[in-house]
Amino acid sequence: MAVPVPFGQYVQLDSPMHRLDARVKIGVTAAFTIALFAVDTWLGLAVVGIMAAIGVTVSRVPVGLAARGIRPIAWLLAFTLVVNSLFPAQASETLVQLGPLAIDAAGLQRGLFFSVRILLLVFGTSLVTLTTSPVALTDGLAQMMRPLAVLRFPVDDAAMMMSIALRFMPTTAEEAERIVVAQSARGARFDTGGPVTRAKAWLPVLVPLFVRLFRRADDLAIAMESRCYRGQGRTRLRQPVMRSTDWIVLVVGLGSALTIALVL
Amino acid sequence: MGLILDSASYAYGAGRPFEVPALVGVTLEVQRGSLTLVLGSTGSGKSTLLKVAAGLLQAQRGSVAIDGRPLTLDTARGSVGLVFQDPEAQLFADTLLDDVAFGPKNLGLTPEEAQTSARDALSEVGLDPVAYGARSPFSLSGGEARRAAIAGVLSMAPSYLLADEPTAGLDATGRAAVKRLLLAQRERAGVVVVSHAAEEFLGEADYLMILDAGEVGWAGPAAAAIQSPEIFSAHGLRAPEVLEVQRIAADAGHRFSRYTLDPDEAARMLVGGGV
Amino acid sequence: MIQFQEVSFSYPGSPAGVRALVDVDLVISSGQMLAVLGANGSGKSTLARLTNGLLVPDAGRVLVDGMDTSDDSLGLPIRERVGMVFQHPDDQIVAPAVEDDVAFGPENLGMPRAEIRLRVDSAIADVGLTGLERREPHLLSGGQKQRLAIAGALAMNPRYLVLDEPTSMIDSQGKREVTEVLARLRASGHAVLLVTHDVAEAVRADRVAVIDAGRIVFQGTPEELLHRRTEFGAWGLEMPPGGVLAERLRALGRPIPVRAMDAESIGSSLWA
């Protein structure tokens, strides 16, 4: 049976956040990312944090799920905190002395500040991927790239590439799994030996996988040609339309991000 | 002795909220010298059954044993051969001989021993090692590649051979060759063929197991299955055409003393209105 | 009408004298279903790829409604008329959702959005996939994937539909689904070219051409094909068990139609 291949972290729900145009979500998140780096006060971080909290509430995504994106960066946060408190840019008073290590008060504060900033950054971006289907996300990105056509950037080709990548990721993952199983059954081991042995062990998987990918690319090119693909002159079935709520969220979102960046 | 699954269960993502049970309490006993046909529609758990029987997945409940020992990746090595669906996907080496020798080498044979096993296996699948041994596996035709991939499993001389849809996508000549090959393996191994179609192997099988939604829908001697053709449709499968005609005839009121897969006999019985 | 006129073709790089197709004469008429029957490596897929100019003949001509496929400037109108479906369901689905994939052809033709919408909805309905518009292709069954591929071709409103072994990689349930869709298409007046190695599939067509080693060795009705039964082995073909049973029944005096090789049609003709 087909094992569901988890793709991204999209949580299919119906919420105002889910219904929002992907471009608005990407744009506003980008604006807040910039704002996050511009603010240098705790008040600024707090305001951004409140905005993020409102976002999660509106999205109806369980907080536990939304927080899952933070787990992989836990080490980064800890590292930021430790490095800043132990090796402050400018030493101030020592809070605690642990043998040769001194925890610096200002350093600790700085570390906390950076950590929260990273936390909010990851939280905000995962809010986009949690509430936007991969299809809508690539469509939105493709739309946002459109102005680059003026610079002769091959916008249509890029959009097509993203769409095909999205289409074939699960298929390729399934195929890789099948080949791993087949080679395991022939006695191949992927979990023993040093790094070189391990890397070599993957050869019997990678070679057939690439052979397949190239053949698939050939077949796909023929299929696309048969369906009149020319790389240009395409119209689209799906054209994201900005509704009034989208415009309102965009203006309010960009406005508040700008205000936070400039004022706080 | 034998390859024995005793009430084996397996679920993907076990213990997590999106747990997907794929195999539920399946019991199967495979002895050397026998051919077992496992039938099931798409999503019935066939692939999972194969992986569990090959030691690639560990049953979460129940037990799996091979010749009296618990089946693990280690005890399965070299003893259980798996011909996966579309097995030509496993071909990777520069030459066919190297490719077929991959399994024996993994079992710890010396390069010379491995080459000898590989040559024997190639001859067995009808690919002359002298003519084919030095060729690239990617230069073979569809039917040849399928047989080469099977040689890559036979070279390990497994006591149990599991094959998933071994004839899918092949034409008449290719199907006949692969079928002959697998039937010949029964001489020295326990063979399990997993398929969605009863047509190809039912006549030759010793045992039949039908999987339905991860559970055993029917199990017993293949000869008994032929005498109860309604079991196929009861589990979302199609009986072999010759048998299905007799089932339709029985529904229409004809009485047969016995059902048969043989078209000649079936025709005589249908025309005679029974035997 | 698609005409093959003394068409020969060799793949570049193949040894001298090895030709994939040799002097092929063939006509695919509107409103008709033609099966091209042959073993693996007989040249049947090559023949399919010559119908819409993916390949062009070395010698001879292929004409689609009079348009020569070797004329580059006619590529688009030819492909718009000749829809094509391939063997591997996974390798022809382009988009990450069902309806986007069906829309791919019309999008390439630069159609207005409203027209694309109409065509997509009607093609999806034609193959019975209504309700699965937003489904991701890798979550579909084999039969559904092939029906999606057919819908993708239909959305271009082709006159001819060319299918290259569409059922050889899918299970029996999927085969039945695809066969039903093909029967409906033929009934609605489409010309269908079905490339297959399955005799039971081929005899459902109006006409059958058998190809062996690049040459057309037989052309005629399914009835005429069965008169050449003794040559099946030499052509690399196999009579399926249902066909064998039908033969035996005919030998015993029962009037089983030539097309009946499956249990239901044999049954219904036995007790009509």
Side-chain angles (χ1 to χ4, degrees), chain A residues 242-264:
Chain A
M242 295 280 284
R243 293 159 307 156
S244 47
T245 32
D246 291 319
W247 283 114
I248 294 169
V249 173
L250 182 67
V251 171
V252 172
L254 292 182
S256 46
L258 187 72
T259 316
I260 292 167
L262 294 180
V263 178
L264 299 169

Side-chain angles (χ1 to χ4, degrees), chain B residues 2-240:
Chain B
L3 178 62
I4 299 168
L5 278 74
D6 188 4
S7 318
S9 297
Y10 188 88
Y12 292 97
R16 278 182 280 167
F18 42 88
E19 172 176 317
V20 187
L23 218 53
V24 185
V26 170
T27 297
L28 172 70
E29 187 175 331
V30 183
Q31 294 296 343
R32 285 196 185 81
S34 71
L35 175 69
T36 303
L37 177 63
V38 177
L39 289 176
S41 49
T42 309
S44 60
K46 288 175 296 177
S47 308
T48 310
L49 174 77
L50 279 174
K51 287 182 212 166
V52 168
L56 297 164
L57 292 178
Q58 295 287 314
Q60 290 141 344
R61 261 171 292 142
S63 67
V64 186
I66 179 167
D67 296 338
R69 294 193 295 164
L71 184 77
T72 63
L73 207 49
D74 280 315
T75 53
R77 268 187 132 190
S79 302
V80 185
L82 178 60
V83 177
F84 224 62
Q85 199 173 351
D86 228 354
E88 45 275 30
Q90 73 185 28
L91 300 171
F92 74 99
D94 289 336
T95 71
L96 195 48
L97 200 61
D98 280 348
D99 203 291
V100 177
F102 176 69
K105 269 190 214 149
N106 286 331
L107 293 181
L109 268 61
T110 65
E112 292 73 35
E113 289 168 338
Q115 296 254 322
T116 310
S117 307
R119 277 197 202 93
D120 291 348
L122 280 173
S123 311
E124 214 170 325
V125 301
L127 298 172
D128 176 20
V130 179
Y132 282 88
R135 278 178 63 176
S136 159
F138 304 110
S139 70
L140 303 175
S141 76
E144 287 171 345
R146 181 75 50 98
R147 282 185 283 150
I150 295 176
V153 174
L154 296 185
S155 60
M156 302 194 293
S159 313
Y160 302 94
L161 182 64
L162 316 175
D164 187 12
E165 303 286 0
T167 58
L170 297 180
D171 66 0
T173 322
R175 282 205 312 276
V178 167
K179 188 176 162 184
R180 246 194 334 270
L181 194 59
L182 291 174
L183 292 179
Q185 287 308 307
R186 180 158 45 170
E187 297 295 311
R188 63 164 197 218
V191 182
V192 179
V193 171
V194 174
S195 178
H196 58 74
E199 199 79 73
E200 207 101 56
F201 285 92
L202 185 63
E204 281 77 14
D206 300 298
Y207 301 99
L208 172 71
M209 179 167 98
I210 296 180
L211 274 182
D212 191 353
E215 296 181 47
V216 178
W218 191 92
I226 294 170
Q227 297 312 317
S228 23
E230 67 287 346
I231 59 169
F232 296 96
S233 52
H235 297 287
L237 297 163
R238 188 165 175 86

Side-chain angles (χ1 to χ4, degrees), chain C residues 26-82:
Chain C
L26 202 66
V27 171
I28 299 146
S29 318
S30 304
Q32 206 186 45
M33 180 161 168
L34 171 71
V36 171
L37 182 62
N40 287 357
S42 59
K44 58 188 193 302
S45 292
T46 308
L47 190 147
R49 288 174 187 201
L50 279 153
T51 55
N52 74 346
L54 285 171
L55 301 174
V56 292
D58 301 334
R61 294 197 302 173
V62 177
L63 302 175
V64 176
D65 293 334
M67 295 183 286
D68 194 326
T69 58
S70 62
D71 184 344
D72 274 345
S73 66
L74 296 173
L76 214 53
I78 286 175
R79 277 167 207 161
E80 203 180 333
R81 279 176 204 226
V82 185

Side-chain angles (χ1 to χ4, degrees), chain A residues 227 230 234-235 238-239, chain C residues 100-101 107-108 111 113:
Chain A
R227 287 163 78 183
R230 292 163 294 164
R234 301 191 73 214
T235 46
R238 232 191 264 275
Q239 180 98 52
Chain C
D100 298 72
D101 190 70
E107 286 176 347
N108 290 333
M111 288 178 180
R113 186 160 305 128

Side-chain angles (χ1 to χ4, degrees), chain A residues 160 163 167-168 170 174 216 219-220 222-223 225-230 233-239, chain C residues 49 52 54 76 79 86 90-96 100-101 104 107-108 110-111 113 116 134 138 152:
Chain A
M160 196 69 228
S163 166
R167 152 77 185 89
F168 280 98
E174 281 165 23
R216 171 160 287 163
D219 285 354
L220 189 67
I222 287 171
E225 203 181 333
S226 295
R227 287 163 78 183
C228 301
Y229 182 69
R230 292 163 294 164
R234 301 191 73 214
T235 46
R236 296 304 308 272
L237 167 69
R238 232 191 264 275
Q239 180 98 52
Chain C
R49 288 174 187 201
N52 74 346
L54 285 171
L76 214 53
R79 277 167 207 161
F86 298 90
D90 264 321
D91 299 356
Q92 53 190 318
I93 299 169
V94 181
D100 298 72
D101 190 70
F104 184 70
E107 286 176 347
N108 290 333
M111 288 178 180
R113 186 160 305 128
I116 299 179
R134 296 291 173 110
H138 73 104

Side-chain angles (χ1 to χ4, degrees), chain A residues 78-88:
Chain A
F79 184 75
T80 310
L81 205 58
V82 170
V83 167
N84 275 292
S85 12
L86 294 182
F87 312 106

